[in-house]
Amino acid sequence: MITVPADPFPYAFPPGKVALIVIDMQRDFVEPGGFGESLGNDVSLLRAIIPTVAELIALFRREGWPVIHTREGHLADLSDCPPSKIRRGKPSLRIGDAGPMGRIMVRGEPGNAIIPELAPIEGEIVIDKPGKGAFYATSLGADLERLGITHLVFAGVTTEVCVQTTMREANDRGYDCLLIEDATESYFPSYKAATVSMIAAQGAIVGCVAPLAALSTAVEKSEAA
Ligand code: C5J
């Protein structure tokens, strides 16, 4: 087992049974002209975590542990997008409308792609999800079962929406979860802070929380031992 100092207690994981889930680091959320900005958000805040997420991905790749990427988006005919989701947001630019990076939140459009800095490599699983949670209406559960994964490490955006929703889904399915707090971000700093504390509250009711340095040091120590 590798043990990471974490909040509210150390997070221990078996190296062969851990996977990284990088949530929605896609152009629609992180770059100007996408869904995030169409909702009135300043996307610049999210760009700050790109180097940390890249470092975390590199750590998993170096160790040969699975890296799984997710993208929130919909089929071109929007048949997998509830009308209630389309109705919300700004009337001028909604899901399916033509935006500066193609149709907003539609699979295969330029804006739906994962940002080039964090692009998946050959063999990595990419989950296209219509919802906020990555388990809903996707193959993620079956993929993790096939890989024999019991422990999940989380990164990505946004902390209080898709990251938290997926962590809660994972928690209910019995996975032991760790959120890397400097590899996740929100358009709203106070929402991130609240989410990070509620995840670890009540004896890690959703999961543990640690900075990337704590995970990296724990992995290095286990290799030196
Ligand atoms: C949102 C996400 N915020 N990836 N999606 O709509 O968190």
Tab-separated table of all heavy atoms in Angstrom, residues 12-62:
chain	number	residue	atom	x	y	z
A	12	ALA	N	-4.745	5.511	1.879
A	12	ALA	CA	-3.875	4.389	1.497
A	12	ALA	C	-4.464	3.701	0.273
A	12	ALA	O	-5.672	3.457	0.215
A	12	ALA	CB	-3.768	3.404	2.655
A	13	PHE	N	-3.592	3.404	-0.706
A	13	PHE	CA	-4.101	2.736	-1.912
A	13	PHE	C	-3.124	1.665	-2.406
A	13	PHE	O	-1.909	1.810	-2.286
A	13	PHE	CB	-4.399	3.757	-3.021
A	13	PHE	CG	-3.190	4.461	-3.579
A	13	PHE	CD1	-2.534	3.977	-4.696
A	13	PHE	CD2	-2.718	5.631	-2.999
A	13	PHE	CE1	-1.419	4.636	-5.233
A	13	PHE	CE2	-1.611	6.289	-3.519
A	13	PHE	CZ	-0.964	5.796	-4.635
A	14	PRO	N	-3.666	0.582	-2.968
A	14	PRO	CA	-2.817	-0.447	-3.563
A	14	PRO	C	-2.430	-0.022	-4.976
A	14	PRO	O	-3.308	0.238	-5.805
A	14	PRO	CB	-3.746	-1.675	-3.601
A	14	PRO	CG	-5.138	-1.138	-3.494
A	14	PRO	CD	-5.101	0.285	-3.056
A	15	PRO	N	-1.118	0.095	-5.268
A	15	PRO	CA	-0.672	0.681	-6.536
A	15	PRO	C	-1.298	0.056	-7.783
A	15	PRO	O	-1.586	0.762	-8.735
A	15	PRO	CB	0.842	0.453	-6.516
A	15	PRO	CG	1.206	0.200	-5.109
A	15	PRO	CD	0.001	-0.277	-4.384
A	16	GLY	N	-1.581	-1.236	-7.777
A	16	GLY	CA	-2.123	-1.863	-8.989
A	16	GLY	C	-3.619	-1.671	-9.175
A	16	GLY	O	-4.191	-2.146	-10.163
A	17	LYS	N	-4.248	-0.994	-8.219
A	17	LYS	CA	-5.714	-0.901	-8.283
A	17	LYS	C	-6.214	0.527	-8.249
A	17	LYS	O	-7.349	0.795	-7.865
A	17	LYS	CB	-6.317	-1.680	-7.112
A	17	LYS	CG	-6.055	-3.169	-7.225
A	17	LYS	CD	-6.641	-3.918	-6.050
A	17	LYS	CE	-6.458	-5.404	-6.261
A	17	LYS	NZ	-7.676	-6.146	-6.291
A	18	VAL	N	-5.330	1.447	-8.641
A	18	VAL	CA	-5.707	2.861	-8.597
A	18	VAL	C	-5.788	3.416	-10.016
A	18	VAL	O	-5.041	2.993	-10.899
A	18	VAL	CB	-4.680	3.666	-7.740
A	18	VAL	CG1	-3.324	3.762	-8.420
A	18	VAL	CG2	-5.214	5.041	-7.390
A	19	ALA	N	-6.720	4.337	-10.228
A	19	ALA	CA	-6.820	5.036	-11.516
A	19	ALA	C	-7.032	6.519	-11.247
A	19	ALA	O	-7.574	6.910	-10.209
A	19	ALA	CB	-7.976	4.484	-12.347
A	20	LEU	N	-6.596	7.332	-12.207
A	20	LEU	CA	-6.808	8.780	-12.153
A	20	LEU	C	-7.976	9.122	-13.065
A	20	LEU	O	-8.026	8.663	-14.209
A	20	LEU	CB	-5.542	9.494	-12.643
A	20	LEU	CG	-5.648	11.006	-12.880
A	20	LEU	CD1	-5.926	11.744	-11.574
A	20	LEU	CD2	-4.358	11.535	-13.525
A	21	ILE	N	-8.910	9.918	-12.551
A	21	ILE	CA	-9.992	10.413	-13.402
A	21	ILE	C	-9.839	11.933	-13.536
A	21	ILE	O	-9.908	12.665	-12.550
A	21	ILE	CB	-11.378	10.051	-12.843
A	21	ILE	CG1	-11.482	8.521	-12.672
A	21	ILE	CG2	-12.472	10.568	-13.780
A	21	ILE	CD1	-12.875	7.993	-12.543
A	22	VAL	N	-9.602	12.369	-14.753
A	22	VAL	CA	-9.447	13.804	-15.033
A	22	VAL	C	-10.762	14.273	-15.652
A	22	VAL	O	-11.130	13.889	-16.759
A	22	VAL	CB	-8.274	14.061	-16.001
A	22	VAL	CG1	-8.091	15.565	-16.200
A	22	VAL	CG2	-6.988	13.424	-15.478
A	23	ILE	N	-11.455	15.101	-14.904
A	23	ILE	CA	-12.806	15.505	-15.291
A	23	ILE	C	-12.806	16.757	-16.185
A	23	ILE	O	-12.329	17.839	-15.779
A	23	ILE	CB	-13.657	15.807	-14.022
A	23	ILE	CG1	-13.740	14.584	-13.084
A	23	ILE	CG2	-15.049	16.327	-14.406
A	23	ILE	CD1	-14.684	13.500	-13.492
A	24	ASP	N	-13.327	16.598	-17.377
A	24	ASP	CA	-13.779	17.704	-18.243
A	24	ASP	C	-12.780	18.837	-18.476
A	24	ASP	O	-13.169	20.015	-18.538
A	24	ASP	CB	-15.089	18.297	-17.692
A	24	ASP	CG	-16.206	17.276	-17.648
A	24	ASP	OD1	-15.988	16.119	-18.064
A	24	ASP	OD2	-17.313	17.615	-17.174
A	25	MET	N	-11.475	18.481	-18.635
A	25	MET	CA	-10.492	19.538	-18.961
A	25	MET	C	-10.581	19.798	-20.462
A	25	MET	O	-9.631	19.614	-21.214
A	25	MET	CB	-9.091	19.113	-18.520
A	25	MET	CG	-8.922	19.062	-17.014
A	25	MET	SD	-9.183	20.658	-16.171
A	25	MET	CE	-7.768	21.604	-16.708
A	26	GLN	N	-11.743	20.237	-20.887
A	26	GLN	CA	-12.049	20.411	-22.307
A	26	GLN	C	-12.159	21.886	-22.636
A	26	GLN	O	-12.383	22.733	-21.762
A	26	GLN	CB	-13.339	19.649	-22.632
A	26	GLN	CG	-14.542	20.138	-21.851
A	26	GLN	CD	-15.712	19.158	-21.845
A	26	GLN	OE1	-15.716	18.160	-21.126
A	26	GLN	NE2	-16.706	19.458	-22.650
A	27	ARG	N	-12.000	22.173	-23.932
A	27	ARG	CA	-11.972	23.569	-24.358
A	27	ARG	C	-13.262	24.297	-23.967
A	27	ARG	O	-13.234	25.481	-23.655
A	27	ARG	CB	-11.735	23.630	-25.872
A	27	ARG	CG	-10.406	22.980	-26.251
A	27	ARG	CD	-10.134	23.121	-27.730
A	27	ARG	NE	-9.929	24.511	-28.100
A	27	ARG	CZ	-10.057	24.989	-29.340
A	27	ARG	NH1	-10.400	24.175	-30.330
A	27	ARG	NH2	-9.865	26.255	-29.595
A	28	ASP	N	-14.405	23.593	-23.982
A	28	ASP	CA	-15.685	24.210	-23.633
A	28	ASP	C	-15.681	24.858	-22.243
A	28	ASP	O	-16.435	25.783	-21.984
A	28	ASP	CB	-16.806	23.150	-23.670
A	28	ASP	CG	-17.595	23.207	-24.978
A	28	ASP	OD1	-17.797	24.311	-25.506
A	28	ASP	OD2	-17.990	22.131	-25.466
A	29	PHE	N	-14.855	24.327	-21.340
A	29	PHE	CA	-14.832	24.875	-19.981
A	29	PHE	C	-13.635	25.767	-19.712
A	29	PHE	O	-13.705	26.663	-18.885
A	29	PHE	CB	-14.842	23.741	-18.946
A	29	PHE	CG	-16.136	22.986	-18.931
A	29	PHE	CD1	-16.186	21.661	-19.325
A	29	PHE	CD2	-17.310	23.609	-18.557
A	29	PHE	CE1	-17.386	20.972	-19.346
A	29	PHE	CE2	-18.519	22.943	-18.574
A	29	PHE	CZ	-18.559	21.610	-18.973
A	30	VAL	N	-12.523	25.486	-20.401
A	30	VAL	CA	-11.252	26.094	-20.010
A	30	VAL	C	-10.836	27.233	-20.939
A	30	VAL	O	-10.015	28.068	-20.574
A	30	VAL	CB	-10.162	24.988	-19.949
A	30	VAL	CG1	-8.809	25.541	-19.574
A	30	VAL	CG2	-10.575	23.888	-18.967
A	31	GLU	N	-11.405	27.278	-22.142
A	31	GLU	CA	-10.987	28.304	-23.102
A	31	GLU	C	-12.136	29.284	-23.364
A	31	GLU	O	-13.310	28.910	-23.241
A	31	GLU	CB	-10.554	27.645	-24.425
A	31	GLU	CG	-9.272	26.828	-24.261
A	31	GLU	CD	-8.756	26.267	-25.581
A	31	GLU	OE1	-9.363	26.520	-26.643
A	31	GLU	OE2	-7.731	25.575	-25.534
A	32	PRO	N	-11.782	30.511	-23.749
A	32	PRO	CA	-12.829	31.476	-24.097
A	32	PRO	C	-13.652	30.966	-25.294
A	32	PRO	O	-13.108	30.313	-26.182
A	32	PRO	CB	-12.042	32.730	-24.498
A	32	PRO	CG	-10.668	32.545	-23.929
A	32	PRO	CD	-10.430	31.058	-23.849
A	33	GLY	N	-14.952	31.224	-25.274
A	33	GLY	CA	-15.812	30.874	-26.405
A	33	GLY	C	-16.593	29.590	-26.219
A	33	GLY	O	-17.362	29.208	-27.105
A	34	GLY	N	-16.406	28.914	-25.095
A	34	GLY	CA	-17.106	27.650	-24.876
A	34	GLY	C	-18.310	27.777	-23.949
A	34	GLY	O	-18.780	28.883	-23.669
A	35	PHE	N	-18.769	26.614	-23.484
A	35	PHE	CA	-19.954	26.545	-22.637
A	35	PHE	C	-19.766	27.347	-21.344
A	35	PHE	O	-20.652	28.105	-20.945
A	35	PHE	CB	-20.244	25.072	-22.305
A	35	PHE	CG	-21.480	24.853	-21.483
A	35	PHE	CD1	-22.726	25.231	-21.939
A	35	PHE	CD2	-21.401	24.225	-20.250
A	35	PHE	CE1	-23.871	25.008	-21.189
A	35	PHE	CE2	-22.539	23.983	-19.489
A	35	PHE	CZ	-23.777	24.383	-19.961
A	36	GLY	N	-18.605	27.175	-20.721
A	36	GLY	CA	-18.342	27.851	-19.446
A	36	GLY	C	-18.497	29.349	-19.570
A	36	GLY	O	-19.186	29.994	-18.780
A	37	GLU	N	-17.869	29.895	-20.615
A	37	GLU	CA	-17.952	31.339	-20.812
A	37	GLU	C	-19.358	31.763	-21.224
A	37	GLU	O	-19.837	32.832	-20.855
A	37	GLU	CB	-16.921	31.793	-21.853
A	37	GLU	CG	-16.691	33.292	-21.794
A	37	GLU	CD	-15.659	33.750	-22.814
A	37	GLU	OE1	-15.930	33.668	-24.033
A	37	GLU	OE2	-14.584	34.189	-22.385
A	38	SER	N	-20.057	30.854	-21.984
A	38	SER	CA	-21.425	31.194	-22.411
A	38	SER	C	-22.358	31.368	-21.211
A	38	SER	O	-23.379	32.029	-21.290
A	38	SER	CB	-21.981	30.126	-23.364
A	38	SER	OG	-22.456	29.006	-22.647
A	39	LEU	N	-21.978	30.753	-20.081
A	39	LEU	CA	-22.789	30.899	-18.871
A	39	LEU	C	-22.406	32.148	-18.077
A	39	LEU	O	-22.940	32.399	-17.008
A	39	LEU	CB	-22.627	29.658	-17.981
A	39	LEU	CG	-23.133	28.338	-18.565
A	39	LEU	CD1	-22.776	27.179	-17.646
A	39	LEU	CD2	-24.640	28.379	-18.788
A	40	GLY	N	-21.439	32.882	-18.598
A	40	GLY	CA	-21.059	34.137	-17.950
A	40	GLY	C	-19.831	34.005	-17.062
A	40	GLY	O	-19.523	34.913	-16.292
A	41	ASN	N	-19.112	32.875	-17.147
A	41	ASN	CA	-17.966	32.660	-16.267
A	41	ASN	C	-16.671	33.198	-16.866
A	41	ASN	O	-16.504	33.223	-18.086
A	41	ASN	CB	-17.781	31.159	-16.013
A	41	ASN	CG	-18.981	30.561	-15.321
A	41	ASN	OD1	-19.380	31.024	-14.258
A	41	ASN	ND2	-19.564	29.540	-15.925
A	42	ASP	N	-15.754	33.558	-15.970
A	42	ASP	CA	-14.399	33.943	-16.372
A	42	ASP	C	-13.557	32.669	-16.368
A	42	ASP	O	-13.287	32.084	-15.321
A	42	ASP	CB	-13.861	34.967	-15.366
A	42	ASP	CG	-12.379	35.268	-15.589
A	42	ASP	OD1	-11.819	34.809	-16.609
A	42	ASP	OD2	-11.796	35.949	-14.733
A	43	VAL	N	-13.145	32.226	-17.560
A	43	VAL	CA	-12.466	30.929	-17.659
A	43	VAL	C	-10.992	30.979	-17.249
A	43	VAL	O	-10.361	29.932	-17.085
A	43	VAL	CB	-12.573	30.343	-19.095
A	43	VAL	CG1	-14.017	30.067	-19.459
A	43	VAL	CG2	-11.926	31.255	-20.119
A	44	SER	N	-10.469	32.192	-17.045
A	44	SER	CA	-9.021	32.290	-16.804
A	44	SER	C	-8.605	31.583	-15.509
A	44	SER	O	-7.507	31.042	-15.415
A	44	SER	CB	-8.573	33.750	-16.793
A	44	SER	OG	-9.183	34.422	-15.724
A	45	LEU	N	-9.510	31.572	-14.541
A	45	LEU	CA	-9.206	30.927	-13.256
A	45	LEU	C	-8.863	29.446	-13.443
A	45	LEU	O	-7.983	28.897	-12.782
A	45	LEU	CB	-10.449	31.058	-12.360
A	45	LEU	CG	-10.282	31.104	-10.858
A	45	LEU	CD1	-9.279	32.157	-10.445
A	45	LEU	CD2	-11.641	31.383	-10.215
A	46	LEU	N	-9.567	28.801	-14.334
A	46	LEU	CA	-9.406	27.358	-14.524
A	46	LEU	C	-8.072	27.008	-15.180
A	46	LEU	O	-7.541	25.914	-14.973
A	46	LEU	CB	-10.556	26.790	-15.378
A	46	LEU	CG	-11.822	26.359	-14.626
A	46	LEU	CD1	-12.315	27.391	-13.656
A	46	LEU	CD2	-12.915	25.936	-15.577
A	47	ARG	N	-7.549	27.940	-15.941
A	47	ARG	CA	-6.298	27.660	-16.668
A	47	ARG	C	-5.117	27.495	-15.718
A	47	ARG	O	-4.136	26.832	-16.034
A	47	ARG	CB	-6.002	28.766	-17.689
A	47	ARG	CG	-7.073	28.904	-18.759
A	47	ARG	CD	-6.576	29.674	-19.959
A	47	ARG	NE	-5.492	29.004	-20.653
A	47	ARG	CZ	-5.660	27.976	-21.474
A	47	ARG	NH1	-6.864	27.496	-21.704
A	47	ARG	NH2	-4.622	27.408	-22.047
A	48	ALA	N	-5.235	28.077	-14.520
A	48	ALA	CA	-4.120	28.051	-13.562
A	48	ALA	C	-3.751	26.626	-13.125
A	48	ALA	O	-2.609	26.370	-12.751
A	48	ALA	CB	-4.473	28.899	-12.353
A	49	ILE	N	-4.695	25.699	-13.182
A	49	ILE	CA	-4.374	24.344	-12.685
A	49	ILE	C	-3.768	23.452	-13.775
A	49	ILE	O	-3.365	22.325	-13.484
A	49	ILE	CB	-5.601	23.619	-12.068
A	49	ILE	CG1	-6.703	23.401	-13.120
A	49	ILE	CG2	-6.108	24.350	-10.844
A	49	ILE	CD1	-7.737	22.353	-12.707
A	50	ILE	N	-3.697	23.946	-15.010
A	50	ILE	CA	-3.238	23.072	-16.112
A	50	ILE	C	-1.867	22.430	-15.806
A	50	ILE	O	-1.721	21.216	-15.945
A	50	ILE	CB	-3.247	23.819	-17.465
A	50	ILE	CG1	-4.688	24.178	-17.840
A	50	ILE	CG2	-2.620	22.968	-18.575
A	50	ILE	CD1	-4.818	25.089	-19.072
A	51	PRO	N	-0.852	23.200	-15.354
A	51	PRO	CA	0.451	22.562	-15.084
A	51	PRO	C	0.370	21.480	-13.998
A	51	PRO	O	1.025	20.442	-14.103
A	51	PRO	CB	1.333	23.729	-14.623
A	51	PRO	CG	0.658	24.958	-15.142
A	51	PRO	CD	-0.802	24.664	-15.159
A	52	THR	N	-0.434	21.703	-12.980
A	52	THR	CA	-0.550	20.705	-11.889
A	52	THR	C	-1.251	19.448	-12.392
A	52	THR	O	-0.851	18.321	-12.066
A	52	THR	CB	-1.324	21.311	-10.694
A	52	THR	OG1	-0.801	22.590	-10.423
A	52	THR	CG2	-1.217	20.429	-9.467
A	53	VAL	N	-2.299	19.624	-13.186
A	53	VAL	CA	-2.990	18.447	-13.736
A	53	VAL	C	-2.037	17.684	-14.663
A	53	VAL	O	-1.989	16.448	-14.634
A	53	VAL	CB	-4.289	18.847	-14.479
A	53	VAL	CG1	-4.978	17.617	-15.049
A	53	VAL	CG2	-5.242	19.596	-13.552
A	54	ALA	N	-1.240	18.436	-15.438
A	54	ALA	CA	-0.281	17.777	-16.344
A	54	ALA	C	0.729	16.959	-15.545
A	54	ALA	O	1.080	15.834	-15.918
A	54	ALA	CB	0.431	18.820	-17.200
A	55	GLU	N	1.170	17.502	-14.417
A	55	GLU	CA	2.137	16.805	-13.563
A	55	GLU	C	1.516	15.536	-12.969
A	55	GLU	O	2.159	14.480	-12.883
A	55	GLU	CB	2.549	17.768	-12.449
A	55	GLU	CG	3.962	17.591	-11.940
A	55	GLU	CD	4.241	18.548	-10.784
A	55	GLU	OE1	4.074	19.765	-10.972
A	55	GLU	OE2	4.616	18.068	-9.718
A	56	LEU	N	0.268	15.646	-12.570
A	56	LEU	CA	-0.441	14.496	-11.998
A	56	LEU	C	-0.618	13.394	-13.043
A	56	LEU	O	-0.382	12.202	-12.766
A	56	LEU	CB	-1.805	14.985	-11.470
A	56	LEU	CG	-2.770	13.958	-10.916
A	56	LEU	CD1	-2.178	13.209	-9.726
A	56	LEU	CD2	-4.085	14.658	-10.485
A	57	ILE	N	-0.996	13.790	-14.244
A	57	ILE	CA	-1.146	12.809	-15.335
A	57	ILE	C	0.206	12.141	-15.610
A	57	ILE	O	0.291	10.914	-15.763
A	57	ILE	CB	-1.704	13.496	-16.607
A	57	ILE	CG1	-3.158	13.914	-16.392
A	57	ILE	CG2	-1.583	12.578	-17.826
A	57	ILE	CD1	-3.758	14.740	-17.540
A	58	ALA	N	1.256	12.956	-15.624
A	58	ALA	CA	2.601	12.407	-15.903
A	58	ALA	C	2.997	11.385	-14.838
A	58	ALA	O	3.592	10.341	-15.151
A	58	ALA	CB	3.623	13.534	-15.969
A	59	LEU	N	2.652	11.661	-13.590
A	59	LEU	CA	2.955	10.718	-12.495
A	59	LEU	C	2.270	9.372	-12.742
A	59	LEU	O	2.892	8.309	-12.643
A	59	LEU	CB	2.502	11.328	-11.162
A	59	LEU	CG	2.503	10.418	-9.934
A	59	LEU	CD1	3.932	10.065	-9.520
A	59	LEU	CD2	1.791	11.080	-8.754
A	60	PHE	N	0.984	9.414	-13.075
A	60	PHE	CA	0.241	8.164	-13.326
A	60	PHE	C	0.804	7.427	-14.549
A	60	PHE	O	0.947	6.209	-14.525
A	60	PHE	CB	-1.261	8.447	-13.483
A	60	PHE	CG	-1.988	8.392	-12.165
A	60	PHE	CD1	-1.788	9.379	-11.202
A	60	PHE	CD2	-2.842	7.346	-11.861
A	60	PHE	CE1	-2.433	9.318	-9.969
A	60	PHE	CE2	-3.487	7.271	-10.629
A	60	PHE	CZ	-3.286	8.258	-9.683
A	61	ARG	N	1.129	8.169	-15.587
A	61	ARG	CA	1.678	7.521	-16.792
A	61	ARG	C	3.020	6.865	-16.468
A	61	ARG	O	3.286	5.745	-16.905
A	61	ARG	CB	1.837	8.545	-17.917
A	61	ARG	CG	0.518	8.920	-18.546
A	61	ARG	CD	0.701	9.965	-19.638
A	61	ARG	NE	-0.593	10.369	-20.186
A	61	ARG	CZ	-0.818	11.499	-20.828
A	61	ARG	NH1	0.174	12.367	-21.034
A	61	ARG	NH2	-2.027	11.770	-21.290
A	62	ARG	N	3.849	7.562	-15.694
A	62	ARG	CA	5.165	7.024	-15.313
A	62	ARG	C	5.011	5.718	-14.548
A	62	ARG	O	5.750	4.764	-14.748
A	62	ARG	CB	5.866	8.057	-14.436
A	62	ARG	CG	7.327	8.191	-14.685
A	62	ARG	CD	7.998	9.374	-14.028
A	62	ARG	NE	7.475	9.859	-12.778
A	62	ARG	CZ	6.931	11.062	-12.617
A	62	ARG	NH1	6.826	11.887	-13.633
A	62	ARG	NH2	6.501	11.452	-11.435
